């Protein structure tokens, strides 16, 4: 839609010219045409700037505004070069070397501009288009915080944290933030944390309103890069079909984008982790804390045994789930740890 | 004056006394903790670490369950009951896969008429497919079981099942579908066999400690066995377990030569197993580790190999069938075994040739066979230990 809109004035212009005066062999239009052409170009720049202004509230966190401005500056100067070359071409059509040079410049800049326009895809955020470097938001811990997703109010509702019933379905229980954190710690301890982390982030995504597509796209892309693509840092255990469905989607804002994957992973957690969790130290601790919060009883000495058949002797110091940045390839990582 | 001084001194003394008492107590506690840690470390030294490795669905967890049944307390009633939901989920998921698969084949296949379902079957299919895509499955009752059975017995679904290798149909399908009536009973408690058949995709790491001899602890070694997930994303976690491993039990499902991976349907499972085994063999940690290769799922293999030629798999391209029946099965098995043997020696550097490598033909569901196999594994590991001790 965007591309035809840009090309339309050119096509129309060309048609008008053709009507008025069939192409002569010199194929130049008069100086009076220069003004509307320049106007058109500056109109593009203005539109782009206006667009940036409109979405600047989310761009700031990623330093994208600067990238965009750089882009605009670059394209504006390119247009300047184009106009300069064109004028030179028009005025001094008697000097042959200048003709060649200016025509070359004309073609070069025009083709660069065409390339740039063609490569802009509006299905993706501008960041990855304009900037070749990838900037990670280092100062904030989670993507949810970066995008300013509000914390759920569940932390304030104390009574809700208390009655955790093991017979309730796990997906309902996981909506409780405290429970989710405890469960996540347990899952991390048995090296199966990625499913819970995924649940957590998809839950965050669900909090972004549907009418805020830009933030939804950012979050969805973040989740795909972190959990879905093959070989991702915290790739989740989902089937080929579901992975392909997500990767092939054209609408990143779709509210049911991750539903199938979430279903499959909830089943996986239910069958693998739930039973062991109820008999683990993590659940005892969780109950203890919940009780303390509700009754404000003084801390009693905890007497509990870890009945869970999960990792008693393995100390996974380089647990990938506690690191923010995990080296991309598994094999690379393993080699590195052996070299140490 | 003197009295006050004395009093003060007394106070001081008693204070000091109290402090030293507390200190002593603390010291004693610390010493106790140290002693226990030391004790545990000594105890740990005697425990041999075994890893179950292999690609997804190669039977690692089934072996793990067998160990629990054979050399440990087994499953109590609560544990058996916890498998009800798993088994019912297996049934719902499988029937959904088959129903969706038949629809797909009916649409895209050249010989599509085979897969077209009658309209009444379609109604049942849609209903069950909807249940299969839910997050919470209802408990299987007579009525649902009846419907599932009707669908299962349908010829189009059977045709689809015959092409199950293209659809990620689990191996337990036939067993559960033939037992639907029993499984849908209101008082149903899973049997040992049901639990062994139940399919749970493992994620993370699970461990168990056992001694193959059982009661007579003196003569038996103590083993700690680790079970892991086998899909690609799970393998990155294996590395945390690689230190100090006595033996790797590598499971290879030899029946999967015509199937593709759950996580990547472009990749043949056998080729993946080959690459994975190669990768594991080359791990620097396993320089002295024994390798026990379980060529698993022989029961499925012997049925399949007569219908599907072995050379559909790229790795076995050069296979030539020689005869029929039992002889052919043996021939095919020996061929696969030889391939793995060759791979082992190719992937083992010359300085590691003294590590133990044994191949066993297994069916993880067969309790007697697994017991026998583990006795053999235990024996060869003990012999290995004696040999090492003799050298030192």
């Amino acid at each position: 839609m965007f591309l035809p809109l840009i090309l339309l004035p050119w096509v129309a212009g060309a048609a008008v010219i053709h009507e008025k005066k069939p192409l002569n062999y010199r194929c130049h239009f008069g100086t009076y045409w220069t003004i509307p052409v320049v106007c058109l170009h500056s109109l593009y720049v203005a539109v782009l700037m206006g667009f940036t202004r409109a979405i600047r509230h989310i761009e700031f966190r990623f330093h994208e505004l600067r990238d965009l401005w750089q882009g605009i500056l670059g394209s504006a100067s390119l247009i300047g070069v184009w106009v300069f070359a064109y004028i030179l071409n028009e005025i001094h059509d008697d000097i042959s070397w200048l003709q060649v040079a200016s025509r070359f410049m004309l073609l070069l800049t025009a083709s660069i501009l065409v390339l740039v326009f063609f490569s802009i895809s509006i299905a993706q955020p501008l960041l990855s288009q304009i900037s070749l470097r990838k900037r990670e938001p280092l100062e904030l811990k989670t993507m949810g915080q970066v995008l300013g997703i509000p914390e759920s109010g569940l932390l304030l509702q104390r009574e809700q944290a208390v009655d955790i019933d093991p017979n309730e379905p796990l997906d309902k229980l996981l909506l409780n933030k405290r429970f989710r954190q405890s469960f996540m710690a347990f899952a991390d301890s048995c090296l199966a944390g990625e499913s819970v982390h995924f649940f957590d982030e998809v839950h965050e995504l669900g909090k972004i309103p549907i009418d805020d597509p830009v933030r939804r796209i950012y979050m969805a892309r973040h989740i795909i890069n972190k959990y879905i693509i093959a070989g991702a840092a915290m790739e989740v255990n989902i089937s080929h079909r579901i992975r392909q469905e997500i990767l092939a989607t054209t609408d990143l804002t779709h509210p049911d984008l991750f539903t199938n994957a979430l279903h499959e992973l909830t089943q996986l957690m239910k069958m693998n982790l739930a039973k062991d969790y109820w008999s683990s130290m993590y659940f005892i601790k969780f109950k203890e804390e919940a009780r303390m919060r509700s009754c404000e009883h003084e801390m009693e000495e905890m007497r509990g045994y870890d009945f869970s058949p999960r990792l008693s002797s393995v100390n996974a110091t380089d647990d990938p789930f506690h690191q923010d940045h995990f080296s991309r390839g598994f094999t690379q990582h393993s080699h590195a740890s052996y070299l140490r | 004056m003197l009295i006050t001084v004395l009093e003060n001194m007394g106070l001081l003394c008693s204070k000091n006394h109290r402090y030293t008492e507390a200190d002593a107590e603390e010291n004693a506690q610390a010493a106790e903790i140290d002693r226990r840690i030391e004790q545990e470390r000594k105890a740990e030294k005697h425990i041999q670490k075994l890893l179950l490795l292999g690609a997804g669905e190669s039977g690692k967890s089934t072996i793990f369950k067998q160990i629990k049944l054979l050399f440990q307390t087994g499953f109590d009633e609560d544990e058996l009951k916890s498998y009800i939901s798993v088994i019912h989920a297996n049934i719902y998921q499988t029937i959904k896969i088959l129903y969706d698969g038949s629809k797909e084949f009916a649409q895209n296949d050249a010989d599509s008429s085979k897969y077209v379902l009658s309209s009444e079957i379609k109604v049942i299919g849609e209903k069950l497919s909807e249940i299969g895509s839910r997050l919470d499955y209802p408990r299987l009752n007579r009525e649902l079981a009846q419907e599932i059975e009707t669908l299962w017995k349908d010829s189009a679904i059977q045709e689809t099942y015959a092409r199950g290798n293209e659809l990620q149909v689990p191996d337990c399908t036939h067993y559960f579908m033939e037992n639907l009536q029993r499984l849908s009973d209101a008082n149903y408690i899973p049997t040992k066999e049901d639990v062994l058949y139940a399919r749970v995709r493992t994620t993370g790491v699970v461990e168990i400690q056992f001694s193959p001899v059982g009661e007579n602890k003196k003569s038996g070694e103590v083993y700690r066995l680790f079970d892991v997930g086998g899909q690609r994303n799970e393998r990155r976690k294996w590395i945390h377990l690689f230190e100090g491993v006595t033996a790797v039990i590598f499971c290879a499902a030899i029946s999967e030569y015509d199937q593709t991976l759950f996580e990547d349907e472009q990749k043949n499972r056998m080729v993946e197993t080959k690459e994975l085994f190669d990768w594991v063999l080359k791990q620097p940690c396993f320089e002295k580790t024994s390798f026990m290769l379980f060529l698993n799922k022989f029961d499925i293999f012997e049925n399949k190999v007569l219908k599907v030629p072995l050379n559909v798999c790229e790795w076995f391209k050069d296979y030539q069938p020689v005869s029929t029946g039992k002889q052919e099965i043996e021939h095919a098995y020996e061929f696969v075994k030889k391939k793995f043997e060759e791979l082992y020696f190719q992937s083992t550097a010359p300085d590691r040739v003294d590590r133990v490598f044994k191949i066993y033909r297994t069916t993880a569901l067969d309790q007697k066979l697994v017991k026998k196999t583990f006795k053999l594994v235990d024996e060869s590991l003990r012999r290995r230990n004696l040999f090492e001790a003799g050298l030192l």
Side-chain angles (χ1 to χ4, degrees):
Chain A
M1 200 210 56
F2 199 54
L3 206 65
L5 208 74
I6 292 171
L7 292 179
L8 196 69
W10 291 103
V11 176
V16 169
I17 296 164
H18 194 73
E19 280 296 309
K20 276 191 167 173
K21 167 173 82 171
L23 276 184
N24 59 9
Y25 62 96
R26 291 214 33 184
C27 196
H28 283 160
F29 20 66
T31 347
Y32 62 95
W33 280 110
T34 319
I35 296 148
V37 167
V38 172
C39 281
L40 256 177
H41 278 306
S42 44
L43 184 73
Y44 291 155
V45 176
V47 165
L48 210 59
M49 279 164 83
F51 182 62
T52 331
R53 187 165 276 257
I55 55 171
R56 71 181 183 282
H57 60 283
I58 57 140
E59 308 284 336
F60 275 133
R61 292 213 171 83
F62 294 95
H63 313 284
E64 268 182 347
L65 201 61
R66 223 179 53 202
D67 287 328
L68 208 57
W69 282 97
Q70 275 174 2
I72 290 170
L73 206 72
S75 50
S77 51
L78 266 182
I79 291 167
V81 171
W82 192 89
V83 169
F84 180 67
Y86 180 81
I87 291 169
L88 277 183
N89 199 14
E90 278 298 302
I91 297 170
H92 308 279
D93 45 357
D94 45 331
I95 311 168
S96 65
W97 66 264
L98 199 68
Q99 282 273 311
V100 174
S102 61
R103 281 185 187 183
F104 172 72
M105 285 304 284
L106 268 178
L107 281 173
L108 187 77
T109 49
S111 53
I112 289 174
L113 282 171
V114 165
L115 257 179
V116 167
F117 277 125
F118 266 102
S119 65
I120 286 179
S121 155
I122 41 170
Q124 289 191 343
L126 288 158
L127 169 74
S128 44
Q129 304 299 326
I130 293 164
S131 164
L132 293 174
R133 298 151 292 169
K134 206 153 193 168
R135 290 201 182 80
E136 288 297 323
L138 290 169
E139 60 288 358
L140 291 162
K141 259 169 90 185
T142 68
M143 196 65 180
Q145 283 171 321
V146 173
L147 295 175
I149 298 167
E151 293 279 310
S152 66
L154 282 172
L155 279 181
L156 299 170
Q157 299 165 359
R158 291 188 175 178
E159 62 277 21
Q160 215 168 345
V162 182
D163 43 67
I164 285 296
D165 176 15
N167 296 320
E168 251 185 81
L170 189 68
D171 51 302
K172 300 255 161 50
L173 294 176
L174 281 174
L175 294 179
N176 180 317
K177 190 167 171 127
R178 275 196 205 284
F179 177 80
R180 193 161 69 234
Q181 275 168 348
S182 166
F183 194 76
M184 196 187 275
F186 167 73
D188 279 343
S189 79
C190 40
L191 304 181
E194 73 276 15
S195 308
V196 195
H197 286 262
F198 177 74
F199 187 99
D200 190 50
E201 299 228 39
V202 173
H203 184 64
E204 301 263 285
L205 173 68
K207 286 189 211 154
I208 305 177
I210 308 279
D211 54 7
D212 190 353
V214 181
R215 281 206 299 167
R216 283 190 78 88
I217 289 174
Y218 268 104
M219 193 66 187
R221 278 176 61 86
H222 162 75
I223 291 174
I224 288 173
N225 285 332
K226 193 170 172 191
Y227 301 99
I228 304 295
I229 52 171
M234 281 172 79
E235 188 186 344
V236 286
N237 197 339
I238 50 171
S239 67
H240 179 76
R241 273 158 201 250
I242 290 182
R243 175 173 294 119
Q244 289 311 110
E245 260 171 42
I246 294 174
L247 293 181
T249 187
T250 46
D251 181 12
L252 284 173
T253 59
H254 198 280
D256 287 333
L257 180 62
F258 296 115
T259 308
N260 284 337
L262 205 61
H263 275 204
E264 207 173 270
L265 288 168
T266 313
Q267 285 293 347
L268 192 71
M269 287 191 275
K270 253 188 215 171
M271 288 182 179
N272 270 282
L273 302 169
K275 209 175 68 197
D276 292 340
Y277 173 75
W278 303 124
S279 57
S280 75
M281 277 295 277
Y282 291 89
F283 182 53
I284 295 171
K285 225 184 243 173
F286 174 73
K287 271 195 302 194
E288 199 73 17
E289 276 170 19
R291 204 175 54 79
M292 266 172 45
R293 269 198 309 278
S294 59
C295 323
E296 302 208 8
H297 273 180
E298 66 186 81
M299 176 82 170
E300 260 178 43
E301 204 160 282
M302 241 174 37
R303 302 221 174 273
Y305 270 92
D306 204 341
F307 296 114
S308 145
R310 296 282 183 170
L311 292 185
S312 64
S313 61
V314 181
N315 291 314
T317 42
D318 49 349
D319 181 354
F321 308 121
H322 292 303
Q323 292 172 1
D324 285 330
H325 299 286
F326 186 56
S327 62
R328 278 190 88 81
F330 167 46
T331 35
Q332 286 165 358
H333 177 73
S334 59
H335 286 320
S337 54
Y338 281 124
L339 285 174
R340 260 187 271 132
Chain B
M1 172 75 185
L2 197 72
I3 292 166
T4 46
V5 168
L6 272 176
E7 259 176 11
N8 274 342
M9 271 177 74
L11 257 171
L12 272 173
C13 276
S14 65
K15 257 188 195 163
N16 274 341
H17 189 64
R18 231 181 289 145
Y19 278 137
T20 46
E21 219 168 52
D23 273 355
E25 209 170 282
E26 232 167 65
N27 280 339
Q29 260 179 4
E32 174 70 13
I33 289 169
D34 281 346
R35 200 176 58 80
R36 282 198 186 169
I37 290 173
E38 190 55 36
Q39 229 175 22
E40 266 167 33
R41 194 182 299 142
K42 265 186 192 162
E44 293 274 310
K45 254 193 179 172
H46 293 287
I47 297 174
Q48 315 258 353
K49 188 171 169 184
L50 304 181
L51 295 190
L52 273 166
L53 301 182
E57 253 183 296
S58 57
K60 298 178 292 297
S61 299
T62 313
I63 298 276
F64 191 81
K65 284 187 256 184
Q66 286 281 20
I67 297 297
K68 211 169 163 186
L69 281 168
L70 285 167
F71 307 118
Q72 248 205 355
T73 50
F75 296 101
D76 58 32
E77 200 174 309
D78 279 344
E79 258 179 309
L80 289 175
K81 275 184 177 164
S82 72
Y83 272 92
I84 296 177
S85 60
V86 174
I87 291 166
H88 289 174
N90 281 170
I91 294 169
Y92 289 124
Q93 283 161 354
T94 307
I95 209 74
K96 181 179 160 58
I97 293 172
L98 287 173
Y99 178 70
D100 292 349
S102 76
K103 276 202 296 192
E104 204 184 302
F105 288 156
Q107 242 173 27
N108 306 329
D109 204 70
D111 189 13
S112 59
S113 59
K114 274 202 295 192
Y115 308 105
V116 174
L117 297 153
S118 65
S119 56
E120 45 202 300
I121 292 286
K122 256 188 188 157
V123 174
I124 301 175
E126 283 302 324
K127 180 186 165 191
L128 291 172
S129 183
E130 188 273 317
I131 293 176
S133 58
R134 276 190 218 165
L135 204 55
D136 281 299
Y137 304 120
R139 207 192 148 101
L140 193 66
N141 54 31
R142 289 270 175 228
E143 194 191 333
L144 279 167
Q146 198 57 52
E147 286 178 332
I148 292 170
E149 198 160 359
T150 317
L151 199 64
W152 167 247
K153 295 258 163 78
D154 187 81
S155 63
I157 293 290
Q158 281 298 316
E159 286 291 343
T160 310
Y161 180 61
R163 283 176 62 181
N165 64 317
E166 296 166 46
L167 290 172
Q168 308 294 345
V169 177
D171 295 324
C172 58
T173 306
H174 191 264
Y175 176 79
F176 284 148
M177 290 301 167
E178 294 303 313
N179 286 290
L180 277 172
Q181 288 307 317
R182 185 169 60 82
L183 304 179
S184 61
D185 195 282
N187 302 315
Y188 164 64
I189 293 172
T191 62
K192 269 194 298 190
E193 210 180 9
D194 295 344
V195 169
L196 288 172
Y197 269 99
R199 164 82 186 134
V200 177
R201 189 152 31 98
T202 310
T203 180
V205 183
V206 196
E207 64 173 80
I208 195 176
Q209 202 164 303
F210 72 99
S211 180
V213 184
E215 302 83 48
N216 192 356
K217 272 181 190 151
K218 267 189 181 168
S219 55
E221 293 275 356
V222 181
Y223 295 105
R224 182 171 289 150
L225 181 70
F226 291 86
D227 181 26
V228 295
Q231 285 74 27
R232 283 181 186 164
N233 78 307
E234 300 289 334
R235 292 179 208 155
R236 70 178 70 225
K237 306 163 186 173
W238 294 3
I239 207 94
H240 300 301
L241 306 169
F242 278 5
E243 217 166 284
V245 179
T246 309
V248 168
I249 297 171
F250 192 91
C251 293
I254 50 170
S255 64
E256 295 183 334
Y257 57 88
D258 66 337
Q259 284 168 263
T260 56
L261 294 180
F262 170 81
E263 66 271 35
D264 177 6
E265 289 179 9
Q266 317 288 333
K267 188 74 179 261
N268 179 282
R269 290 196 185 198
M270 198 48 109
V271 175
E272 180 84 355
T273 300
K274 175 194 168 202
E275 287 166 13
L276 185 62
F277 190 45
D278 177 67
W279 179 78
V280 171
L281 285 171
K282 284 177 177 159
Q283 287 301 310
C285 271
F286 295 152
E287 201 177 334
K288 290 204 165 104
T289 304
S290 304
F291 274 87
M292 305 290 161
L293 177 62
F294 283 18
L295 296 182
N296 199 19
K297 301 201 183 180
F298 184 74
D299 55 337
I300 308 173
F301 179 79
E302 61 183 344
N303 286 321
K304 194 184 254 183
V305 85
L306 298 175
K307 291 178 219 148
V308 186
L310 209 52
N311 49 26
V312 295
C313 170
E314 198 196 321
W315 192 23
F316 303 146
K317 255 198 322 222
D318 48 339
Y319 177 74
Q320 293 296 329
V322 283
S323 58
T324 50
K326 265 231 151 72
Q327 264 185 319
E328 172 58 20
I329 296 168
E330 281 305 313
H331 182 248
Y333 173 78
E334 286 303 322
F335 179 83
V336 174
K337 187 177 162 186
K338 217 179 113 209
K339 280 281 182 188
F340 273 100
E341 241 166 21
E342 279 170 15
L343 176 62
Y344 175 82
F345 289 110
Q346 265 170 27
S347 311
T348 300
D351 58 321
R352 293 182 179 189
V353 280
D354 59 333
R355 65 184 175 188
V356 177
F357 176 58
K358 292 253 157 81
I359 301 180
Y360 301 92
R361 175 197 300 198
T362 59
T363 300
L365 295 165
D366 183 340
Q367 192 153 17
K368 272 186 191 156
L369 188 62
V370 173
K371 190 170 186 177
K372 212 174 91 189
T373 310
F374 257 88
K375 287 262 157 80
L376 290 173
V377 168
D378 178 45
E379 211 176 280
S380 72
L381 289 179
R382 283 217 311 256
R383 196 174 302 139
R384 166 84 184 168
N385 281 347
L386 287 177
F387 177 72
E388 287 228 310
L391 270 185
L392 287 171

